[in-house]
Amino acid sequence: MDVPGALVPLRVPAGWLVEYNTFVESGPHHSQDLLQMRSCRVVDGAWQVDPDGYLVDLGWYPDADPTGAYRLVVVRPDFRGDTVIEVSHREQSVIRQAIEACIAGITDRAAIPAIAEAVHEIIGR
């Protein structure tokens, strides 16, 4: 996958599989498919995607529209499941902070309402 520019630095704790990442620093990459991560767990001494875990997805909506915004969605266990967090914002740095809050909170096993509240505070700043 050819990524145009430097990736946005993210603090990703152990226990996450980055399936794809084209979330770049050089302005919005106007695509619905920027970043996708899945929570993992150790099974028999090896990391595996947690079938009951979380999927974190980032895209730009509407696709290819420069007037759009980043949309961050956290679902459980996948897109057929429940959306537990969904936020939008145009600022890359704000979305980066929201992603990090989501994955850190999930890793630390915080309650989803508490994670959602923290993310909404970040988005509202």
Side-chain angles (χ1 to χ4, degrees):
M1 176 182 293
D2 187 29
V3 178
L7 294 172
V8 171
L10 294 170
R11 290 176 289 191
V12 180
W16 288 91
L17 168 68
V18 178
E19 293 185 312
Y20 58 83
N21 183 3
T22 60
F23 185 33
V24 294
E25 288 184 325
S26 59
H29 183 84
H30 299 132
S31 169
Q32 290 181 356
D33 299 323
L34 295 177
L35 175 69
Q36 191 169 84
M37 297 186 290
R38 292 185 185 269
S39 58
C40 298
R41 64 181 178 176
V42 176
V43 177
D44 296 329
W47 286 103
Q48 295 181 5
V49 170
D50 184 352
D52 298 320
Y54 294 88
L55 178 129
V56 175
D57 184 76
L58 178 67
W60 182 269
Y61 292 86
D63 189 35
D65 183 345
T67 64
Y70 293 106
R71 184 174 73 184
L72 173 63
V73 178
V74 179
V75 295
R76 186 172 191 189
D78 56 33
F79 287 116
R80 294 173 300 226
D82 297 323
T83 299
V84 296
I85 298 171
E86 183 173 356
V87 294
S88 295
H89 202 280
R90 289 188 53 83
E91 292 292 325
Q92 186 179 85
S93 62
V94 172
I95 287 296
R96 179 191 55 77
Q97 291 173 47
I99 293 167
E100 290 178 349
C102 286
I103 61 179
I106 292 167
T107 300
D108 292 342
R109 296 193 173 124
I112 291 299
I115 298 169
E117 183 179 330
V119 168
H120 285 283
E121 284 181 20
I122 291 167
I123 295 295
R125 289 185 196 151

